[in-house]
Amino acid sequence: MSRAATRFFLTPSTRLPNPLLFPKRRRPPPPCTGATRASFAAMAASGLGGGEAFRLSASAGAGAGALKLFKGDITVWSVDGATDAIVNAANERMLGGGGVDGAIHRAAGPELVQACRIVPEVKPGVRCPTGEARITPAFKLPVSRVIHTVGPIYDMDRQPDVSLNNAYTNSLKLAKENGIQYIAFPAISCGVFRYPPEEASKIAVSTAQQFSKDIKEVHFVLFSDELYNIWRETAKEMLPQVEK
Ligand code: ADP
């Protein structure tokens, strides 16, 4: 239908919402029972690869949390645009950077750095100390929120395992407090911060396990085949796998 024809058929009651009042279209959250299938469909539609699923708790029933692995760009990941969040591997200033941080800021648009700028500094130049997490809106990203966390620089942190554990745990706590049901992490600290990915994947999976009752699905979006395979091997060792 042409634009003129569309205008002709739009009566006052069917007029599209004002984009300033309703800046983002939100799909309603999927029903709980179909959530697993819904999130697979959403990932396939965004062009992410992989898609293996694991149960976060061996003992819990059908309603318990799931862990899923995808391959690709975390900035295209979303489930419902309402109860979903991606995690940014940020730095302590929270004003953008390289790697996944740069990709998230580019995709979210300049409002994201403005939102980060108003996060209070806890000391000069530090908005989010290593191991902590902060939350902002997601602006042009297809998800509801961005959770910013800072992983350890592997060769400089005295206890990199503790700091990485804190980064995952505090992100998941913040997600829970904000009603997030679906969360996607990149491989925090496994880029320029040089955390060995085998060790990092074990910390990532074990912290996700601790939130099996709080968050419906914890996803990892891995940027390379190598990282995807490392996360898959760890998940297979630690968790029961489920059919797609
Ligand atoms: P850090 O400083 O925590 O090491 P980096 O951004 O350098 O953060 O890397 C973290 C991980 O994110 C790396 O494994 C990197 O390959 C990955 N990565 C980079 N860009 C993206 C992206 N667009 N989506 C998902 N993962 C990404």
Side-chain angles (χ1 to χ4, degrees), residues 48 71-76 87-91 97-104 106 149-153 164 185-195 197 221-224 227 231:
L48 291 171
K71 201 165 25 181
D73 178 2
I74 200 166
T75 66
V76 301
V87 178
N88 182 17
N91 55 53
V100 71
D101 193 8
I104 288 173
R106 278 192 298 280
T149 191
V150 182
I153 301 174
L164 189 62
F185 287 92
I188 294 166
S189 284
C190 292
V192 294
F193 287 180
R194 304 190 67 79
Y195 208 109
V221 181
L222 291 322
F223 208 45
S224 65
L227 280 174
W231 250 254

Side-chain angles (χ1 to χ4, degrees), residues 1-12 14:
M1 192 186 290
S2 72
R3 190 177 280 192
T6 310
R7 201 178 310 133
F8 179 78
F9 284 111
L10 285 176
T11 64
T14 60

